[in-house]
Amino acid sequence: FNQVFIVIKKMGHSPLQNKPYYQMAITCKEPTLPALPLLPENPIFVADNHFHRFLLAKIINSEAITQQHSPTFLSRLQRTRRDLLKEIM
């Protein structure tokens, strides 16, 4: 069921803010659409509340868009649900 991959790489430590900073990259299997919020041109983030909120929003929205628009994911999800219902009955 993996459709979206988010890779986070530690880039170093910010001496001004005394916090680590990270670079983020995202890729999706076709035909999964990119989810909002889009990555900025320079996707390097200081480990702060803004980064945590951005990452959480990206994860949640990527999951939602995959469930709504990916034919491959939808067919697998329907098959899994059907099989689980058969086991219950």
Side-chain angles (χ1 to χ4, degrees):
F1 283 23
N2 297 332
Q3 298 290 319
V4 179
F5 301 89
I6 299 174
V7 179
I8 300 173
K9 177 182 176 184
K10 187 173 182 179
M11 298 298 291
H13 201 80
S14 172
L16 298 175
Q17 296 179 329
N18 197 26
K19 294 181 181 180
Y21 59 97
Y22 300 92
Q23 181 178 26
M24 182 188 304
I26 300 172
T27 188
C28 307
K29 286 185 181 177
E30 290 185 30
T32 304
L33 303 170
L36 296 177
L38 297 176
L39 279 179
E41 191 172 313
N42 184 14
I44 296 178
F45 299 88
V46 174
D48 59 8
N49 286 336
H50 170 73
F51 175 59
H52 294 168
R53 285 192 306 270
F54 181 90
L55 180 57
L56 187 58
K58 192 69 172 169
I59 292 168
I60 291 169
N61 292 341
S62 294
E63 180 183 26
I65 231 161
T66 298
Q67 290 178 359
Q68 295 171 6
H69 298 290
S70 173
T72 305
F73 184 83
L74 289 174
S75 65
R76 289 178 181 173
L77 183 61
Q78 289 171 348
R79 184 180 65 227
T80 301
R81 286 179 178 166
R82 183 180 59 243
D83 291 345
L84 288 172
L85 282 173
K86 283 181 185 178
E87 285 182 24
I88 292 171
M89 301 172 109

